[in-house]
Amino acid sequence: MTPNHQDERTRIRQAIDRLLTGQATTSNGSLTAAALAVEAGVHRMALMKRHTDLKNEFYERVRAETAQIPETEKRLRETVVKLKQTVADKNAEILELRQQITRLTLAGAVLTERLNDAGDRPGTAGNVVRFPGT
């Protein structure tokens, strides 16, 4: 581990402690990875890529020490709820379309049967044109 890498890890751990105690010095104090990166003075992608374990530790501590759900998890949960509603709506729509197909198929069968019956009875051909030999 390079000294710079170790220095980043130390700054991130100190930033975690400051954020969790409500003593943010350079960030807005929110309990997010973006605020943690600002508070630690590291690039956000460095936190996400090189220090994933510290980011995860931060979120675990947020959940354990503040009894709060991290913002990213809140957004994901909201998205899941919306997606579940969308799936339920689409399933209801599919069911309605299937029922409509069944009704239309039955209506077509009834009309075909009536058309055939009308063509078989003398004088009731209606608007059915029969060709010779049929």
Side-chain angles (χ1 to χ4, degrees):
M1 209 178 296
T2 65
N4 185 35
H5 186 75
Q6 189 58 40
D7 179 54
E8 279 184 350
R9 294 184 68 79
T10 301
R11 287 184 294 156
I12 292 168
R13 283 197 170 98
Q14 291 169 347
I16 289 172
D17 291 336
R18 284 195 306 274
L19 287 174
L20 289 173
T21 58
Q23 299 171 350
T25 58
T26 57
S27 71
N28 63 5
S30 66
L31 300 177
T32 63
L36 176 59
V38 169
E39 189 68 29
V42 298
H43 194 277
R44 187 171 56 91
M45 289 314 293
L47 176 65
M48 299 297 200
K49 300 285 185 180
R50 286 195 304 261
H51 306 292
T52 307
D53 60 324
L54 293 177
K55 177 188 64 98
N56 292 338
E57 176 186 324
F58 173 64
Y59 282 133
E60 287 172 18
R61 286 186 59 190
V62 167
R63 193 176 290 109
E65 295 177 23
T66 65
Q68 291 182 1
I69 297 173
E71 283 299 316
T72 53
E73 189 173 333
K74 285 180 188 177
R75 286 193 303 269
L76 284 173
R77 286 181 184 202
E78 289 171 3
T79 301
V80 167
V81 168
K82 289 176 187 175
L83 289 173
K84 283 183 178 181
Q85 184 59 50
T86 300
V87 168
D89 293 345
K90 293 299 177 186
N91 284 341
E93 183 179 354
I94 289 169
L95 179 62
E96 175 58 34
L97 290 172
R98 285 181 177 161
Q99 291 171 346
Q100 189 174 6
I101 288 170
T102 301
R103 290 191 300 269
L104 290 172
T105 302
L106 290 172
V110 167
L111 291 174
T112 301
E113 185 63 31
R114 285 183 183 169
L115 190 60
N116 287 338
D117 287 348
D120 289 344
R121 287 183 256 134
T124 60
N127 59 2
V128 176
V129 177
R130 290 198 166 254
F131 293 99
T134 57

